[in-house]
Amino acid sequence: MTSRTPDLPETPDAFSIGGEYRVARIGWGAMRLPTGPGPDRDAAVAVARRAVESGVTLIDTAHLYGWGANEELLAEALHPYPDNLLITTKVGVVRSDGPEGWAYDARPDSLREQVEQGLRRLRTERVGLLQLHRIDPEVPLAEQIGALHELRQEGKIGHIGLSEVTAAQLAEARRTAEIASVQNRYNLFDREYEPVLEACEAAGIAFLPWRPVAAATPGPASVLDAVATELGATAPQVLLAWLLARSPVLLPIPGTASLAHLKENLAAADLRLDESRRRRLDGMARPV
């Protein structure tokens, strides 16, 4: 997890994050993995291992996912990590006694402690890509990014990413430190963050869309299902293929705890949409 990944060739199916980690463009989100003891945990470990065996080189987790339990599960399943694997985790959200059970906390001292804890749980001395899960509205953004920049200078972070940010916030953060990735909600039906994607394209920043497969898709008579039928694919595969075709900086991270679903998602990398089908799908987007 700490070394460069030069083994993937320059193709539309690979992208270099921060100029260092060259990853396959369809990653995997580990959020849904059960982390409790017993058979479900054994199955989760098996899914994580199968993901890597199947060519996944980008795995997304976060402190928020089980308050560290997800990170510990990935370490159990995959450590020592293959040289070509990039596990990205997120900090900036902590457990609280409030009604939501969590709160923003991106104070510099807190971020440092969260990163140290994440390193221990992941059993590594350096996290290749560390993303700020949410911007803390109570702390100046320059202080939040500055704290992560200091950790990067110390060698504990390889690259810095952001999550759920506007184009203006991305630009502001880049005035303090180099930003390698953005993780925002984005899919065929939800393109609220189109300006952020455009900014990422212009700067060569990876855009990791969460919820890449829309939860609510149209009915069986929809254009999406028609295109899927024409290609002998599933609707989720078409949605992932659309993202890959939409921009070279888009790296979908569909989440699943199912071996069958994992296989289905990864097969979308081989699906190609011609210009006509892309135009038909583009017309299905909701107005921004």
Side-chain angles (χ1 to χ4, degrees):
M1 194 171 81
T2 59
S3 45
R4 294 177 182 268
T5 55
D7 50 330
L8 285 174
E10 294 280 348
T11 72
D13 298 322
F15 182 87
S16 182
I17 296 179
E20 178 178 3
Y21 292 97
R22 190 149 188 82
V23 298
R25 285 188 60 207
I26 292 187
W28 173 56
M31 180 180 69
R32 298 182 183 178
L33 292 181
T35 56
D40 286 347
R41 185 182 185 89
D42 294 340
V45 167
V47 171
R49 290 174 177 167
R50 179 66 60 83
V52 174
E53 292 167 359
S54 301
V56 167
T57 49
L58 173 62
I59 296 177
D60 175 76
T61 183
H63 173 219
L64 175 64
Y65 305 160
W67 302 116
N70 196 267
E71 294 169 322
E72 291 173 344
L73 177 71
L74 290 175
E76 176 186 332
L78 302 173
H79 189 273
Y81 303 108
D83 287 343
N84 68 340
L85 179 64
L86 173 60
I87 295 180
T88 173
T89 191
K90 298 184 284 294
V91 296
V93 175
V94 297
R95 196 195 304 252
S96 81
D97 296 329
E100 294 182 335
W102 62 270
Y104 300 110
D105 191 351
R107 294 170 298 166
D109 287 348
S110 179
L111 286 178
R112 177 173 289 275
E113 178 59 24
Q114 291 173 56
V115 169
E116 295 284 3
Q117 291 175 3
L119 291 173
R120 287 194 293 270
R121 288 189 293 262
L122 288 168
R123 306 181 199 173
T124 185
E125 296 179 351
R126 177 181 187 260
V127 58
L129 177 62
L130 191 287
Q131 301 183 100
L132 186 62
H133 208 151
R134 294 291 187 273
I135 290 176
D136 187 339
E138 302 299 323
V139 180
L141 180 56
E143 291 186 15
Q144 300 175 57
I145 303 302
L148 297 181
H149 180 61
E150 288 181 5
L151 287 162
R152 186 184 181 197
Q153 290 180 314
E154 294 170 16
K156 295 180 178 181
I157 293 174
H159 300 277
I160 300 169
L162 303 172
S163 181
E164 286 302 280
V165 294
T166 65
Q169 289 169 329
L170 171 59
E172 181 181 353
R174 294 181 67 205
R175 289 194 284 270
T176 299
E178 180 181 353
I179 302 300
S181 71
V182 168
Q183 185 169 328
N184 278 19
R185 186 186 68 254
Y186 187 86
N187 57 59
L188 174 63
F189 304 111
D190 185 350
R191 304 191 215 173
E192 175 184 352
Y193 291 111
E194 198 78 37
V196 181
L197 174 57
E198 292 171 359
C200 288
E201 285 181 318
I205 294 171
F207 189 114
L208 283 58
W210 65 268
R211 197 178 292 165
V213 176
T217 57
S222 73
V223 172
L224 173 62
D225 289 298
V227 170
T229 298
E230 293 166 11
L231 296 174
T234 65
Q237 286 176 325
V238 172
L239 290 170
L240 291 171
W242 179 86
L243 286 168
L244 296 179
R246 168 63 186 85
S247 170
V249 305
L250 280 170
L251 281 65
I253 46 171
T256 183
S258 160
L259 287 172
H261 194 197
L262 173 69
K263 182 178 180 180
E264 176 185 341
N265 289 339
L266 297 181
D270 298 322
L271 198 62
R272 296 291 182 262
L273 299 175
D274 59 29
E275 188 62 28
S276 174
R277 291 189 175 99
R278 285 180 59 189
R279 285 198 302 268
R280 288 161 62 194
L281 292 168
D282 285 343
M284 300 184 71
R286 294 194 295 265
V288 176

CSV table of all heavy atoms in Angstrom, one decimal, residues 103-124:
chain,number,residue,atom,x,y,z
A,103,ALA,N,-20.2,13.9,14.4
A,103,ALA,CA,-20.0,15.3,14.3
A,103,ALA,C,-18.7,15.6,13.5
A,103,ALA,O,-17.8,14.8,13.4
A,103,ALA,CB,-19.8,15.9,15.7
A,104,TYR,N,-18.7,16.8,12.9
A,104,TYR,CA,-17.5,17.3,12.2
A,104,TYR,C,-16.4,17.5,13.3
A,104,TYR,O,-16.7,18.0,14.3
A,104,TYR,CB,-17.7,18.6,11.5
A,104,TYR,CG,-18.8,18.6,10.4
A,104,TYR,CD1,-20.0,19.2,10.6
A,104,TYR,CD2,-18.6,17.9,9.2
A,104,TYR,CE1,-21.0,19.2,9.6
A,104,TYR,CE2,-19.6,17.9,8.2
A,104,TYR,CZ,-20.8,18.5,8.4
A,104,TYR,OH,-21.7,18.5,7.5
A,105,ASP,N,-15.2,17.2,12.9
A,105,ASP,CA,-14.1,17.6,13.8
A,105,ASP,C,-12.8,17.5,12.9
A,105,ASP,O,-12.1,16.5,12.8
A,105,ASP,CB,-13.9,16.6,15.0
A,105,ASP,CG,-12.9,17.2,16.0
A,105,ASP,OD1,-12.2,18.2,15.7
A,105,ASP,OD2,-12.8,16.6,17.1
A,106,ALA,N,-12.5,18.7,12.4
A,106,ALA,CA,-11.2,18.8,11.5
A,106,ALA,C,-10.3,19.8,12.1
A,106,ALA,O,-9.5,20.4,11.4
A,106,ALA,CB,-11.6,19.1,10.1
A,107,ARG,N,-10.3,19.9,13.5
A,107,ARG,CA,-9.3,20.7,14.1
A,107,ARG,C,-7.9,20.0,13.9
A,107,ARG,O,-7.8,18.8,13.9
A,107,ARG,CB,-9.6,20.8,15.6
A,107,ARG,CG,-10.8,21.6,16.0
A,107,ARG,CD,-11.2,21.4,17.4
A,107,ARG,NE,-11.4,20.0,17.8
A,107,ARG,CZ,-11.5,19.5,19.0
A,107,ARG,NH1,-11.3,20.3,20.0
A,107,ARG,NH2,-11.7,18.2,19.2
A,108,PRO,N,-6.9,20.8,13.7
A,108,PRO,CA,-5.6,20.2,13.4
A,108,PRO,C,-5.1,19.1,14.3
A,108,PRO,O,-4.7,18.0,13.9
A,108,PRO,CB,-4.6,21.4,13.4
A,108,PRO,CG,-5.5,22.5,13.0
A,108,PRO,CD,-6.8,22.2,13.6
A,109,ASP,N,-5.3,19.3,15.6
A,109,ASP,CA,-4.8,18.2,16.6
A,109,ASP,C,-5.7,17.0,16.5
A,109,ASP,O,-5.2,15.9,16.6
A,109,ASP,CB,-4.9,18.8,18.0
A,109,ASP,CG,-3.8,19.8,18.3
A,109,ASP,OD1,-2.9,19.9,17.5
A,109,ASP,OD2,-3.9,20.4,19.4
A,110,SER,N,-7.0,17.2,16.2
A,110,SER,CA,-7.9,16.0,16.1
A,110,SER,C,-7.6,15.3,14.8
A,110,SER,O,-7.6,14.0,14.8
A,110,SER,CB,-9.3,16.5,16.1
A,110,SER,OG,-10.2,15.4,15.9
A,111,LEU,N,-7.3,16.0,13.7
A,111,LEU,CA,-7.0,15.3,12.4
A,111,LEU,C,-5.7,14.5,12.6
A,111,LEU,O,-5.7,13.4,12.1
A,111,LEU,CB,-6.8,16.4,11.3
A,111,LEU,CG,-8.1,17.0,10.8
A,111,LEU,CD1,-7.7,18.0,9.7
A,111,LEU,CD2,-9.0,16.0,10.2
A,112,ARG,N,-4.8,15.0,13.3
A,112,ARG,CA,-3.5,14.3,13.5
A,112,ARG,C,-3.8,13.0,14.3
A,112,ARG,O,-3.3,11.9,13.9
A,112,ARG,CB,-2.5,15.2,14.2
A,112,ARG,CG,-1.2,14.4,14.6
A,112,ARG,CD,-0.2,15.4,15.2
A,112,ARG,NE,0.3,16.3,14.2
A,112,ARG,CZ,1.3,16.0,13.4
A,112,ARG,NH1,1.9,14.8,13.4
A,112,ARG,NH2,1.8,16.9,12.5
A,113,GLU,N,-4.6,13.1,15.3
A,113,GLU,CA,-4.9,11.9,16.1
A,113,GLU,C,-5.7,10.9,15.3
A,113,GLU,O,-5.5,9.7,15.3
A,113,GLU,CB,-5.7,12.3,17.3
A,113,GLU,CG,-6.1,11.1,18.2
A,113,GLU,CD,-5.0,10.3,18.7
A,113,GLU,OE1,-3.8,10.8,18.8
A,113,GLU,OE2,-5.2,9.1,19.0
A,114,GLN,N,-6.7,11.4,14.4
A,114,GLN,CA,-7.4,10.5,13.6
A,114,GLN,C,-6.6,9.7,12.6
A,114,GLN,O,-6.7,8.6,12.3
A,114,GLN,CB,-8.5,11.2,12.9
A,114,GLN,CG,-9.6,11.8,13.8
A,114,GLN,CD,-10.6,12.7,13.0
A,114,GLN,OE1,-11.2,12.3,12.0
A,114,GLN,NE2,-10.8,13.9,13.5
A,115,VAL,N,-5.6,10.5,12.0
A,115,VAL,CA,-4.7,9.8,11.1
A,115,VAL,C,-3.8,8.8,11.8
A,115,VAL,O,-3.6,7.7,11.2
A,115,VAL,CB,-3.8,10.9,10.4
A,115,VAL,CG1,-2.7,10.3,9.6
A,115,VAL,CG2,-4.7,11.8,9.4
A,116,GLU,N,-3.3,9.1,12.9
A,116,GLU,CA,-2.5,8.2,13.7
A,116,GLU,C,-3.3,6.9,14.0
A,116,GLU,O,-2.7,5.8,13.8
A,116,GLU,CB,-2.0,8.8,15.0
A,116,GLU,CG,-1.0,10.0,14.8
A,116,GLU,CD,0.4,9.6,14.4
A,116,GLU,OE1,0.6,8.4,14.2
A,116,GLU,OE2,1.2,10.5,14.3
A,117,GLN,N,-4.5,7.1,14.4
A,117,GLN,CA,-5.3,5.9,14.7
A,117,GLN,C,-5.6,5.1,13.4
A,117,GLN,O,-5.6,3.8,13.5
A,117,GLN,CB,-6.7,6.4,15.3
A,117,GLN,CG,-6.6,6.9,16.7
A,117,GLN,CD,-7.9,7.5,17.2
A,117,GLN,OE1,-8.9,7.3,16.5
A,117,GLN,NE2,-7.9,8.1,18.4
A,118,GLY,N,-5.8,5.8,12.3
A,118,GLY,CA,-6.1,5.1,11.1
A,118,GLY,C,-4.8,4.3,10.6
A,118,GLY,O,-4.9,3.1,10.1
A,119,LEU,N,-3.7,4.9,10.8
A,119,LEU,CA,-2.4,4.1,10.4
A,119,LEU,C,-2.3,2.9,11.3
A,119,LEU,O,-1.9,1.8,10.8
A,119,LEU,CB,-1.2,5.1,10.7
A,119,LEU,CG,-1.1,6.3,9.7
A,119,LEU,CD1,0.1,7.2,10.2
A,119,LEU,CD2,-0.8,5.8,8.3
A,120,ARG,N,-2.6,3.0,12.6
A,120,ARG,CA,-2.5,1.8,13.4
A,120,ARG,C,-3.5,0.7,13.0
A,120,ARG,O,-3.2,-0.5,12.9
A,120,ARG,CB,-2.8,2.2,14.9
A,120,ARG,CG,-1.6,2.9,15.5
A,120,ARG,CD,-1.8,3.0,17.0
A,120,ARG,NE,-2.9,3.8,17.4
A,120,ARG,CZ,-2.8,5.1,17.7
A,120,ARG,NH1,-1.7,5.8,17.5
A,120,ARG,NH2,-3.9,5.8,18.0
A,121,ARG,N,-4.7,1.1,12.7
A,121,ARG,CA,-5.8,0.2,12.3
A,121,ARG,C,-5.4,-0.5,11.0
A,121,ARG,O,-5.7,-1.7,10.8
A,121,ARG,CB,-7.1,0.8,12.3
A,121,ARG,CG,-7.7,1.1,13.6
A,121,ARG,CD,-9.1,1.6,13.5
A,121,ARG,NE,-9.3,2.9,12.8
A,121,ARG,CZ,-9.4,4.0,13.4
A,121,ARG,NH1,-9.4,4.1,14.8
A,121,ARG,NH2,-9.6,5.1,12.7
A,122,LEU,N,-4.9,0.3,10.1
A,122,LEU,CA,-4.5,-0.3,8.7
A,122,LEU,C,-3.2,-1.0,8.7
A,122,LEU,O,-2.8,-1.5,7.7
A,122,LEU,CB,-4.5,0.9,7.7
A,122,LEU,CG,-5.9,1.4,7.3
A,122,LEU,CD1,-5.8,2.7,6.5
A,122,LEU,CD2,-6.7,0.3,6.5
A,123,ARG,N,-2.4,-0.9,9.8
A,123,ARG,CA,-1.1,-1.5,10.0
A,123,ARG,C,-0.1,-1.0,9.0
A,123,ARG,O,0.6,-1.8,8.3
A,123,ARG,CB,-1.3,-3.1,9.9
A,123,ARG,CG,-2.3,-3.7,10.9
A,123,ARG,CD,-2.3,-5.2,10.7
A,123,ARG,NE,-3.5,-5.8,11.2
A,123,ARG,CZ,-3.8,-7.1,11.1
A,123,ARG,NH1,-3.0,-7.9,10.4
A,123,ARG,NH2,-5.0,-7.5,11.6
A,124,THR,N,-0.1,0.3,8.8
A,124,THR,CA,0.9,0.8,7.9
A,124,THR,C,1.5,2.1,8.4
A,124,THR,O,0.9,2.7,9.4
A,124,THR,CB,0.1,1.1,6.5
A,124,THR,OG1,1.1,1.6,5.6
A,124,THR,CG2,-0.9,2.2,6.7
